[in-house]
Amino acid sequence: MKVVIVGGVAGGATAAARLRRLDEAAEIVVFERSGYVSYANCGLPYYIGGAITDREELTLQTPESFWQRFRVDVRVRHEVTAIHPAEKTVTVKDLTTGAVFDESYDKLLLSPGARPTQPALPGAGLGRLFTLRTVEDTLKIREFIEQHHPKSAVLAGGGFIAIELAENLRDLGLEVTLVQRPKQLLNPLDADMAAFLHAQMRRHGVRLHLGRTVEGFAADGERVNVLIRDEAPLTADMVVLAIGVTPDTGLARDAGLDLGIKGSILVNDRMETSVPDIYAVGDAVQVKHFVTGQDALLSLAGPANKQGRIAADNICGGDSRYPGSQGSSVIKVFDMTAASTGVNEKNAKAAGIDCDKLVLSPMSHAGYYPGGRVMTMKVVFEKNTYRLLGAQIVGYEGVDKRIDVLSTAIHAGLTVLQLKDLDLAYAPPYSSAKDPVNMAGFMAEDLAKGLVKQFFTEDVAALPRDGSVTLLDTRTPGEYAGGHAEGFVNIPVDELRDRLDEIPAGKPVYVMCQSGLRSYVACRILAQRGFACYNFSGGYRLYAAVTEDRAAAEEALPCGMEK
Ligand code: FAD
């Protein structure tokens, strides 16, 4: 059997290695357009910033090492330019010599990935304008920085790559402005959770121009003007376009393969395309979202690697199936970590799912052991069934661990109520006897049993301030003085039982504290005395993060970074 693989990085290289492990006799040829095989795309921003110092670290595998270990014939700087399904051949161009030749296959695996989305904007071909996908792109950016010592950069986009680049360019001392059409960074997060991320970026000197649209670029001497709709241009020494990725599927389209969203390749759960003996994996393929069952594009390394393995199994006569993607992701944002899995509230609603949520602010480990930090965790679940739909966490230590537990719970089809039963490891330096994930389960249980009712950030503005309801803040006077939601009166939770006469009988009470814990205690005190009581989910921490974020966004300079 002869297997030809197009693309030799995440999906392609994984498939090649798996194929060899399953079939010592197969002839395996990998064509890779760039000069490198199996390179660490996820590490590229960190080489630009200098966290990864040795270029070799990005390219641990070489065609020679692949041959030595796996007897796989890897040909870098070879672009597959056409597929001929009837003849079962591909046309290949050697980018070094220019030679063009045909290569036959018994099975063809496409793992061409996704390219940076580059809309046809005026000035898109200018120098000093970069994209980041390959090792070559990385070296180009790094060389430019070393030779030209830019002082400022504009990053167009607000996803993983733009955020990672922002951090790495700040580490190099550049002024960084991030321009993004949506009003928030990192779309897998809901806007309330993104507020923490925005604050972190601003704290580290990244200027955020959210809700702005880049309309083009113009040379300005040695600099670039980034043209923004309805605003003055931003001027910078370099620009990186990172507004998203598009499946790199021209080959598949020309060969007549069935395509889906944004030209992605349609595959079944065995990673088979619509054409016999052609498989496809990775960023180039459309997947089923594991939670919603909807068609989706989720460009992440984990799915690409798993799909590569599944395709290889099936090419070798097995029957491996891909269950769909959950979109689990994690990102370092300076010293902060943001992570998500499953669907967020916005997308759950868009998918027509009747969902509820809870937001909590647990410590990463036992409060009495030094070094613990608060994290903000938002858990989204289906109303009535309590099926766990998704989670988002922003914080420091321990965020990655909790998101992976929640991701596993979603994969296992657990309800949010079952989170309370998970038997999670505990010692004070690592967690609490009631782990944050267990806490989410306890809170859900209280909701399910009707012990507590919630209200949310989006409800606060509309609450009546005419005395028909009581708005209560149960923090200490000092905390209250430091900032509170308009109209909320302060009765610290520890004084509440003695000051119940200050709360008008027969009227609903809306209670807020810093994290949601003391207000929960207050709600239980009040509910047992006959009050209809609502606990603010996420606490003043979340409320303040969201309102401060809105204020900062409004204050953001409307024009150039030169100001
Ligand atoms: P790729 O790994 O992109 O490989 C596709 C390869 O195919 C490319 O090298 C391309 O040159 C080659 N190719 C395309 N067309 C042809 C052709 N016609 N002929 C020959 N070769 C061809 N994901 C995460 O989960 N976590 C992260 O932290 C993360 N960070 C990232 C950071 C950066 C800067 C980038 C660019 C991506 C990051 N990703 C991350 C995404 C992740 O790298 C991709 O999801 C994953 O690599 C997709 O694997 P793939 O095999 O589909 O495509």
Side-chain angles (χ1 to χ4, degrees), residues 6-12 31-34 39 41-45 78-81 111-114 132-134 161 164 248 251 281-284 299-302 304 330:
V6 182
V9 192
F31 292 111
E32 167 53 50
R33 182 168 55 201
S34 77
Y39 53 84
N41 0 30
C42 307
L44 301 179
H78 280 68
E79 179 172 15
V80 175
T81 55
S111 189
L132 180 60
R133 178 185 185 186
T134 61
I161 294 176
E164 288 177 353
D248 199 350
L251 260 187
V281 300
D283 288 359
S299 308
L300 291 162
V330 62

Side-chain angles (χ1 to χ4, degrees), residues 96-310:
T96 307
T97 64
V100 174
F101 58 93
D102 280 355
E103 187 85 31
S104 66
Y105 65 81
D106 298 311
K107 306 279 181 186
L108 178 66
L109 173 68
L110 305 177
S111 189
R115 57 190 146 72
T117 304
Q118 284 177 286
L121 296 175
L126 284 179
R128 295 176 174 260
L129 192 60
F130 302 92
T131 55
L132 180 60
R133 178 185 185 186
T134 61
V135 175
E136 283 89 344
D137 297 336
T138 311
L139 299 180
K140 226 161 95 181
I141 295 175
R142 178 88 181 235
E143 262 168 41
F144 176 83
I145 292 172
E146 282 168 1
Q147 285 171 12
H148 298 272
H149 307 289
K151 294 199 167 38
S152 58
V154 166
L155 306 178
F160 295 102
I161 294 176
I163 292 171
E164 288 177 353
L165 269 175
E167 172 177 346
N168 280 285
L169 294 178
R170 284 299 292 151
D171 287 349
L172 293 176
L174 274 76
E175 294 217 329
V176 176
T177 303
L178 208 145
V179 188
Q180 144 102 328
R181 180 155 43 189
K183 287 191 172 153
Q184 69 163 84
L185 300 176
L186 217 56
N187 278 331
L189 298 184
D190 283 315
D192 51 358
M193 296 296 284
F196 292 98
L197 198 68
H198 298 169
Q200 170 77 343
M201 296 288 269
R202 292 186 182 110
R203 262 195 300 278
H204 285 84
V206 179
R207 294 178 210 205
L208 300 182
H209 283 239
L210 305 176
R212 268 87 161 183
T213 304
V214 172
E215 290 199 315
F217 311 92
D220 180 3
E222 290 287 274
R223 314 187 75 199
V224 184
N225 282 335
V226 181
L227 312 176
I228 314 280
R229 182 178 303 161
D230 300 329
E231 284 188 10
L234 294 167
T235 306
D237 297 328
M238 64 181 286
V239 175
V240 184
L241 199 56
I243 58 174
V245 295
T246 306
D248 199 350
T249 53
L251 260 187
R253 184 195 57 225
D254 295 347
L257 274 64
D258 287 350
L259 303 180
I261 305 169
K262 279 170 108 179
S264 56
I265 303 171
L266 288 188
V267 288
N268 61 17
D269 62 355
R270 288 169 44 86
M271 311 316 296
E272 292 164 328
T273 69
S274 57
V275 172
D277 295 321
I278 303 183
Y279 295 72
V281 300
D283 288 359
V285 305
Q286 178 176 296
V287 293
K288 284 264 174 270
H289 196 288
F290 186 81
V291 174
T292 64
Q294 292 180 333
D295 295 334
L297 289 183
L298 289 163
S299 308
L300 291 162
N305 276 269
K306 292 180 190 93
Q307 292 162 9
R309 182 183 165 97
I310 288 167

Side-chain angles (χ1 to χ4, degrees), residues 326 328 341 402-412:
Q326 239 170 269
S328 302
T341 184
R402 273 55 182 234
I403 208 71
D404 280 345
V405 173
L406 288 160
S407 163
T408 308
I410 291 172
H411 191 84

